[in-house]
Amino acid sequence: MHRSKLSRSILLALGLVSAGGAIAADAGTAGTSSSGNAAAPTQLDAMLVTGTRASNRTQFETLAPVDVFTKQDIQSVDSTDLKDVLAQLVPSFVVQRLPMADGQVFVRPATLRGLSPDQTLVLVNGRRFHRSALLGNRGAQAADLAQIPTSAIKRIEVLRDGASAQYGSDAIAGVINIILEDSPGTEITAGYSQYAQGDGGSRDFSARTGWALGDYGSLALFAESSNSDATSRTRQRPDAIAFQAAHPELDVPNPVQRWGQPELESRRVGFNLKANASDTLELYAFGLYSHSDGVSDFNWRNPDTTTGAYRTTSIFPGWNLRSLYPVGFSPQYGNTQNDLQLVAGLRGEITPKLRWDLSASYGRNAIDYSLDNSINASLGPDSPTSFDLGRLTQTEKNANADFNYEWDVAALSKPVNVAFGAEFRQETYQVRAGDPASYAVGRGAAAGLEANSNGAPGFSASQAGQWSQRSKAAYVDMEVPLGERWSIGAAGRYEDFSSFGSTLDGKLSARFAITPDVALRGTLSTGFRAPTPAQLNTTSTTQGLDTRTLQIFTSGRLSPSDPLAQLLGAKPLTPEESRTASLGLTWRTDLGLSGSVDVYRITLSDRFSQSAGFAIPAGTPNPLGYTSVNYFTNDFDTTTTGVDVVGNYLRDLGAGRMTLTLAYNYNQTRVDNGSTSVATNETQRVLFEDRLPEHKGSFTGSWDIGAWSLMARVRYYGKWTDSTGNATGDIYQQFGAMTFLDLAVGYRINEHHSLRVGADNVFDRYPDEATFQASRGLIYSRNAPYDTDGANVYAQYRLTF
C-alpha cells in the first residue's frame, strides 16, 4: 500500500478511536443536496470526531448535537482566555469573572447547560485534559480551559449531550474537544486592549509555526504570552469614609480595596507532532505547558472595628498593629500556577477494517498561594507581613487501548462501526503546608488576637497530605446504519474506582433522515461524575466579610471523613448520577441555510455541594477560630430542562460573502429534594436554581468583501439572582437582562499582513448596581455571568507566511 493512501486512512479513521475521543481528520466541507448536485457549503458539513467513533460522520450526520468552531471563529473573539472565547461562541456556556473570590479569581468557573463546572469533560486532541488543583464554589474541581493557548487551536468541537457511556466520568453536560493546529506555516500575532475607563490594559503576543516532515508527518510549535493590568470598579467603602472623618490626620487610600480583574501574567508553550514510523504505524505526541502569576486584593481591615487584629494586650507590651498599618490594610493574594499536559501514542492497523490506538498521558496542575500586606496578629511583633500559604497539586496519569472495527454485515449497505477498548486512570492530589507563621496560633490568641495569616490562612501541617484514586474502565460503542434513513447507536461503559466501587452506564442514540437535508435525532443516556481525591480528603479555611456587621468571619470546610464533620452528619461521598434525554431536528439547504433545535432534560441525583454552615459544638476545640464549618455532601437532586437553537446562513452579498449565526439557549434547573429544599440551606437552593440566566443568546453577522472583513455580534443574558455570601443571613438581589454589542473591522494589507480593530460592549453598558454589596465598596456584582468592566477596545496585528 502506498504511504499517502495509508496515511489518509490513518488520519481519517485511527484518530477517531479512543476512550476519550481522538484526533479528528480534515475533510471536505461540501454537502450533497437531495438532487445529487453539490450543495452550497454550510456550517453543518464539517467532518468531526467528538461524539462519534465512525470515520465518516459530519456535523449534520451526528446522532447528537455537536458545535464546530473554526480558527476564524476563535479569532473573532478578542481574548487569549479560552473560557471567554467559548462564552461568546457556545449558547449554553457561561463563565463568571469573580473578582476577590480567592483562587477563583484566577481559575474561573465555567458551566455548560447550567451544570457544575466539573460536569463537562475537556479533551485535547481527543485525550482527557487534567483537572485544576483548585476546588471552587460548592467544591467543583474542573479542568482549567485558560491553560490552553488559543493561538494553538485549529478548531473546537462541543458535544452538547450526556456522554459518560462513551467518555467516562464528568461528561454529564457534554464534552469540549480542543483540536490543536498541525498545518504548516507561521503565524505571529500582537495585540493590545484596554477598557474605556483607562485600566485593564492587556498586551498579548502569540507565535505558531509548523512544518510538514516530508511524507513522514508534521510538527507544530506554539508560544503565547499575555500581560493584563488590573481593573477597578470600586467606590470608597462607607466605613472607610467614616474612618477618615474620625482620623483627619491620616491619609486613607481611596479606595481602600479594589474590586476588579487581577493583575495577571501568563506564558504558554506547546507542540503537536505526528510521524509515520512505517506504512502501517503512526507515532503522535503533543504537549502544553503554562506558567502564570497573578495578584488580587482582599477585603480592607478597618483599624477601628477589626478587633481581632487591632487589639492591645499585655502579652505584647508596647505593640500595636496601628504602628504598622495605621490606615488599615487590604491583603494582597498571590497565585503562581504551573500546568503541564503530555500525551504520546502509537496507532496503526491490523487489517484495513481493524485499527488500533495505544496512548499514555500525564497531566499536572500546581498552584502556589501567597499573601502580602497582612499579619498573623496572634504572633504580635514576631509576625511576618508576607506568607507562603502552601501549594495544591493535581496529577493525573492515563493509559488507553482503543480498537475500531468496520464490520460488514450482508443485510446492511454500509458497515457497522464497532469501537471497544480499555482505560486506566490514576488521580493524585497533594497539599503542601505553608509557612508555619501562616497557620500558627500564637501567644496572643489567648487575649483575642486572631491566629493565621489574616485574609487567607495557610495550609497547616495537619491539612497537608497526598491522596490517590485509581480507576479501570472498559467500553464498547456501536453505530449501525439501517438503510438510507435510519442510524442507531449504542454505547456501554463499565468503570471501577478504588475509592467507592464500580458504575455501569449506557447510551442509546437514533437518527432518522426525513429527507437528505432534514433529520430527527435523539438520545437516552445515563452518566456519572466520580468524587475526586481532593473532594474526598481535603479541608480548607476561608475568610470573608459579613455585609451586615462588616466583621471578618472564618469558615472551615471539612473533609467528609473528618470526625467533627461526621458528628455534624457527614457521610462518605458517592458519584453523582445522571439521566439525560434529548430530541432534536437538524437541517441544511442548498441556499446556505442550516441549523438545529435540540430539547433536553437532565436529571441528576446525589448532586454534589456544600452542606449548610454549622456552629462549632460547645466544648469542641476550635484553635482556628471558625465562625462556622461545613462539609461536602451528596444530598439533593435536580432536574435541568432546556433547548438549544443554532442557525447559520451563508450567502453572497454584493461582491462579498455574508455569514449570519444565531445561537440561543434556554436552561432551567430546579431542586427536587434534599437539604437544599429546606430553609437550613436556602442559599444553596437559590444558587443552583437562579445564579445563572435561564436565557442566553447571541446573533453574529460577518461580511467579507475584498481585503475588508466586518463583524457585529449582539449578546443577550437573561435575569439572574445573586447572594451576599454572608456567614449567616444571606441577602439576595435579582439582576435584570443585559444586551451587549460587539463590533470589529479587519483589513488584509497583503497576503502576509493584516490588521483588526474592534470593541466589545461598544455602548459601555453596565448591569444594575449590587446594592446589597455597597457596604464593601463593590459597585457591580462579582458573580455576574458577564464582564462588568464596561467597553473594551482592542487592536491586533497578524503576520502569516
Side-chain angles (χ1 to χ4, degrees), residues 355-387:
R355 298 173 292 273
W356 57 269
D357 192 330
L358 302 178
S359 67
S361 67
Y362 174 85
R364 181 178 184 270
N365 179 260
I367 308 176
D368 290 273
Y369 293 109
S370 62
L371 196 69
D372 296 325
N373 199 48
S374 183
I375 197 75
N376 182 336
S378 71
L379 298 177
D382 296 328
S383 172
T385 58
S386 296
F387 303 87

Short mmCIF file of all heavy atoms in Angstrom, two decimals, residues 355-387:
data_model
loop_
_atom_site.label_atom_id
_atom_site.label_comp_id
_atom_site.label_asym_id
_atom_site.label_seq_id
_atom_site.Cartn_x
_atom_site.Cartn_y
_atom_site.Cartn_z
N ARG A 355 -8.46 -1.35 13.28
CA ARG A 355 -7.40 -0.39 13.62
C ARG A 355 -7.25 -0.31 15.13
O ARG A 355 -8.19 -0.57 15.88
CB ARG A 355 -7.75 0.96 13.02
CG ARG A 355 -7.83 0.93 11.49
CD ARG A 355 -8.33 2.24 10.92
NE ARG A 355 -9.74 2.50 11.24
CZ ARG A 355 -10.76 2.07 10.51
NH1 ARG A 355 -10.55 1.34 9.43
NH2 ARG A 355 -12.00 2.37 10.86
N TRP A 356 -6.07 0.09 15.56
CA TRP A 356 -5.78 0.17 16.99
C TRP A 356 -5.09 1.48 17.33
O TRP A 356 -4.50 2.14 16.47
CB TRP A 356 -4.91 -1.01 17.44
CG TRP A 356 -3.61 -1.11 16.69
CD1 TRP A 356 -3.37 -1.80 15.55
CD2 TRP A 356 -2.36 -0.48 17.04
NE1 TRP A 356 -2.07 -1.66 15.13
CE2 TRP A 356 -1.43 -0.86 16.05
CE3 TRP A 356 -1.95 0.34 18.07
CZ2 TRP A 356 -0.10 -0.42 16.07
CZ3 TRP A 356 -0.62 0.78 18.11
CH2 TRP A 356 0.28 0.40 17.11
N ASP A 357 -5.16 1.84 18.62
CA ASP A 357 -4.58 3.09 19.09
C ASP A 357 -4.19 2.90 20.56
O ASP A 357 -5.04 2.61 21.40
CB ASP A 357 -5.60 4.22 18.95
CG ASP A 357 -5.00 5.60 19.17
OD1 ASP A 357 -4.03 5.71 19.94
OD2 ASP A 357 -5.50 6.56 18.56
N LEU A 358 -2.90 3.03 20.87
CA LEU A 358 -2.40 2.94 22.24
C LEU A 358 -1.80 4.27 22.64
O LEU A 358 -1.02 4.86 21.88
CB LEU A 358 -1.33 1.84 22.34
CG LEU A 358 -1.74 0.42 21.92
CD1 LEU A 358 -0.54 -0.52 22.04
CD2 LEU A 358 -2.89 -0.09 22.77
N SER A 359 -2.16 4.76 23.82
CA SER A 359 -1.65 6.06 24.24
C SER A 359 -1.49 6.13 25.74
O SER A 359 -2.10 5.35 26.49
CB SER A 359 -2.59 7.18 23.76
OG SER A 359 -3.83 7.10 24.44
N ALA A 360 -0.67 7.08 26.16
CA ALA A 360 -0.48 7.37 27.58
C ALA A 360 -0.38 8.88 27.75
O ALA A 360 0.12 9.58 26.85
CB ALA A 360 0.78 6.68 28.12
N SER A 361 -0.86 9.38 28.89
CA SER A 361 -0.81 10.83 29.12
C SER A 361 -0.46 11.12 30.57
O SER A 361 -0.70 10.30 31.47
CB SER A 361 -2.15 11.49 28.77
OG SER A 361 -3.17 11.07 29.66
N TYR A 362 0.09 12.30 30.76
CA TYR A 362 0.45 12.79 32.10
C TYR A 362 0.01 14.25 32.18
O TYR A 362 0.34 15.06 31.30
CB TYR A 362 1.95 12.68 32.33
CG TYR A 362 2.43 13.30 33.63
CD1 TYR A 362 2.39 12.58 34.82
CD2 TYR A 362 2.91 14.61 33.67
CE1 TYR A 362 2.82 13.14 36.01
CE2 TYR A 362 3.34 15.18 34.85
CZ TYR A 362 3.31 14.45 36.02
OH TYR A 362 3.72 15.01 37.19
N GLY A 363 -0.75 14.59 33.21
CA GLY A 363 -1.17 15.96 33.42
C GLY A 363 -0.92 16.39 34.84
O GLY A 363 -1.10 15.61 35.79
N ARG A 364 -0.52 17.65 35.00
CA ARG A 364 -0.21 18.16 36.34
C ARG A 364 -0.54 19.64 36.42
O ARG A 364 -0.16 20.41 35.54
CB ARG A 364 1.26 17.94 36.68
CG ARG A 364 1.67 18.41 38.08
CD ARG A 364 3.15 18.09 38.32
NE ARG A 364 3.60 18.43 39.65
CZ ARG A 364 4.10 19.62 39.99
NH1 ARG A 364 4.20 20.59 39.07
NH2 ARG A 364 4.48 19.87 41.23
N ASN A 365 -1.27 20.02 37.45
CA ASN A 365 -1.55 21.42 37.73
C ASN A 365 -1.13 21.72 39.16
O ASN A 365 -1.60 21.04 40.09
CB ASN A 365 -3.03 21.73 37.54
CG ASN A 365 -3.38 23.19 37.84
OD1 ASN A 365 -3.86 23.50 38.91
ND2 ASN A 365 -3.12 24.07 36.89
N ALA A 366 -0.27 22.69 39.34
CA ALA A 366 0.22 23.06 40.67
C ALA A 366 -0.01 24.55 40.89
O ALA A 366 0.32 25.37 40.03
CB ALA A 366 1.70 22.73 40.82
N ILE A 367 -0.59 24.90 42.03
CA ILE A 367 -0.89 26.29 42.36
C ILE A 367 -0.24 26.63 43.69
O ILE A 367 -0.51 25.99 44.72
CB ILE A 367 -2.40 26.55 42.46
CG1 ILE A 367 -3.12 26.06 41.20
CG2 ILE A 367 -2.68 28.02 42.68
CD1 ILE A 367 -4.63 26.19 41.27
N ASP A 368 0.64 27.64 43.68
CA ASP A 368 1.25 28.16 44.90
C ASP A 368 0.55 29.45 45.27
O ASP A 368 0.40 30.36 44.44
CB ASP A 368 2.74 28.43 44.67
CG ASP A 368 3.54 27.16 44.51
OD1 ASP A 368 3.97 26.61 45.53
OD2 ASP A 368 3.74 26.71 43.36
N TYR A 369 0.13 29.54 46.54
CA TYR A 369 -0.56 30.73 47.03
C TYR A 369 0.33 31.51 47.98
O TYR A 369 1.11 30.92 48.76
CB TYR A 369 -1.85 30.34 47.75
CG TYR A 369 -2.90 29.74 46.86
CD1 TYR A 369 -3.21 28.38 46.93
CD2 TYR A 369 -3.57 30.51 45.92
CE1 TYR A 369 -4.16 27.81 46.10
CE2 TYR A 369 -4.52 29.96 45.09
CZ TYR A 369 -4.82 28.62 45.18
OH TYR A 369 -5.76 28.07 44.35
N SER A 370 0.20 32.83 47.91
CA SER A 370 0.96 33.70 48.81
C SER A 370 0.07 34.84 49.28
O SER A 370 -0.97 35.12 48.67
CB SER A 370 2.21 34.26 48.12
OG SER A 370 1.83 35.06 46.99
N LEU A 371 0.47 35.49 50.34
CA LEU A 371 -0.29 36.61 50.89
C LEU A 371 0.69 37.67 51.35
O LEU A 371 1.59 37.39 52.16
CB LEU A 371 -1.18 36.15 52.05
CG LEU A 371 -2.30 37.10 52.46
CD1 LEU A 371 -3.36 37.16 51.36
CD2 LEU A 371 -2.93 36.66 53.78
N ASP A 372 0.54 38.88 50.83
CA ASP A 372 1.36 40.02 51.23
C ASP A 372 0.48 41.07 51.91
O ASP A 372 -0.74 41.03 51.80
CB ASP A 372 2.06 40.63 50.01
CG ASP A 372 3.04 39.67 49.37
OD1 ASP A 372 3.69 38.90 50.11
OD2 ASP A 372 3.15 39.67 48.13
N ASN A 373 1.15 42.01 52.57
CA ASN A 373 0.45 43.12 53.22
C ASN A 373 -0.57 42.59 54.23
O ASN A 373 -1.72 43.01 54.28
CB ASN A 373 -0.27 43.98 52.18
CG ASN A 373 -0.61 45.36 52.71
OD1 ASN A 373 0.23 46.03 53.30
ND2 ASN A 373 -1.85 45.79 52.51
N SER A 374 -0.13 41.66 55.06
CA SER A 374 -1.02 41.02 56.02
C SER A 374 -0.31 40.86 57.36
O SER A 374 0.76 41.45 57.59
CB SER A 374 -1.50 39.66 55.48
OG SER A 374 -2.41 39.07 56.35
N ILE A 375 -0.87 40.05 58.26
CA ILE A 375 -0.32 39.85 59.60
C ILE A 375 -0.92 38.59 60.21
O ILE A 375 -2.05 38.21 59.89
CB ILE A 375 -0.64 41.07 60.51
CG1 ILE A 375 0.26 41.09 61.76
CG2 ILE A 375 -2.10 41.11 60.88
CD1 ILE A 375 1.66 41.53 61.47
N ASN A 376 -0.18 37.91 61.02
CA ASN A 376 -0.73 36.91 61.95
C ASN A 376 -0.72 37.59 63.31
O ASN A 376 0.30 37.58 64.02
CB ASN A 376 0.10 35.63 61.96
CG ASN A 376 -0.48 34.56 62.86
OD1 ASN A 376 -1.21 34.86 63.81
ND2 ASN A 376 -0.15 33.31 62.59
N ALA A 377 -1.84 38.18 63.68
CA ALA A 377 -1.89 39.03 64.86
C ALA A 377 -1.55 38.27 66.13
O ALA A 377 -1.02 38.85 67.09
CB ALA A 377 -3.27 39.67 64.98
N SER A 378 -1.84 36.97 66.17
CA SER A 378 -1.56 36.20 67.38
C SER A 378 -0.07 36.08 67.66
O SER A 378 0.34 35.75 68.77
CB SER A 378 -2.19 34.81 67.29
OG SER A 378 -1.51 34.01 66.34
N LEU A 379 0.78 36.34 66.64
CA LEU A 379 2.23 36.32 66.83
C LEU A 379 2.79 37.68 67.23
O LEU A 379 3.98 37.79 67.54
CB LEU A 379 2.92 35.85 65.55
CG LEU A 379 2.60 34.43 65.07
CD1 LEU A 379 3.31 34.15 63.75
CD2 LEU A 379 3.01 33.40 66.11
N GLY A 380 1.94 38.70 67.20
CA GLY A 380 2.36 40.04 67.60
C GLY A 380 3.51 40.55 66.76
O GLY A 380 3.52 40.38 65.53
N PRO A 381 4.51 41.16 67.40
CA PRO A 381 5.62 41.76 66.64
C PRO A 381 6.49 40.75 65.92
O PRO A 381 7.30 41.12 65.07
CB PRO A 381 6.41 42.52 67.72
CG PRO A 381 6.08 41.80 69.00
CD PRO A 381 4.66 41.36 68.85
N ASP A 382 6.35 39.46 66.26
CA ASP A 382 7.15 38.43 65.60
C ASP A 382 6.54 37.96 64.28
O ASP A 382 7.14 37.14 63.58
CB ASP A 382 7.29 37.21 66.53
CG ASP A 382 8.06 37.55 67.80
OD1 ASP A 382 8.95 38.41 67.73
OD2 ASP A 382 7.74 36.96 68.86
N SER A 383 5.38 38.48 63.93
CA SER A 383 4.71 38.03 62.71
C SER A 383 5.33 38.67 61.47
O SER A 383 5.58 39.88 61.44
CB SER A 383 3.22 38.37 62.76
OG SER A 383 2.60 38.11 61.51
N PRO A 384 5.53 37.87 60.42
CA PRO A 384 5.89 38.47 59.13
C PRO A 384 4.66 39.13 58.52
O PRO A 384 3.54 38.96 58.99
CB PRO A 384 6.33 37.26 58.30
CG PRO A 384 5.60 36.10 58.90
CD PRO A 384 5.45 36.40 60.37
N THR A 385 4.88 39.90 57.47
CA THR A 385 3.76 40.52 56.74
C THR A 385 3.52 39.86 55.39
O THR A 385 2.55 40.20 54.71
CB THR A 385 4.03 42.02 56.53
OG1 THR A 385 5.25 42.19 55.81
CG2 THR A 385 4.11 42.75 57.87
N SER A 386 4.40 38.94 55.00
CA SER A 386 4.22 38.17 53.77
C SER A 386 4.29 36.69 54.12
O SER A 386 5.11 36.27 54.96
CB SER A 386 5.30 38.51 52.74
OG SER A 386 5.21 39.86 52.34
N PHE A 387 3.44 35.91 53.46
CA PHE A 387 3.31 34.50 53.81
C PHE A 387 3.26 33.62 52.56
O PHE A 387 2.64 33.98 51.56
CB PHE A 387 2.03 34.26 54.62
CG PHE A 387 1.91 35.07 55.87
CD1 PHE A 387 1.38 36.35 55.84
CD2 PHE A 387 2.35 34.56 57.09
CE1 PHE A 387 1.26 37.11 56.99
CE2 PHE A 387 2.24 35.31 58.25
CZ PHE A 387 1.70 36.59 58.21
#
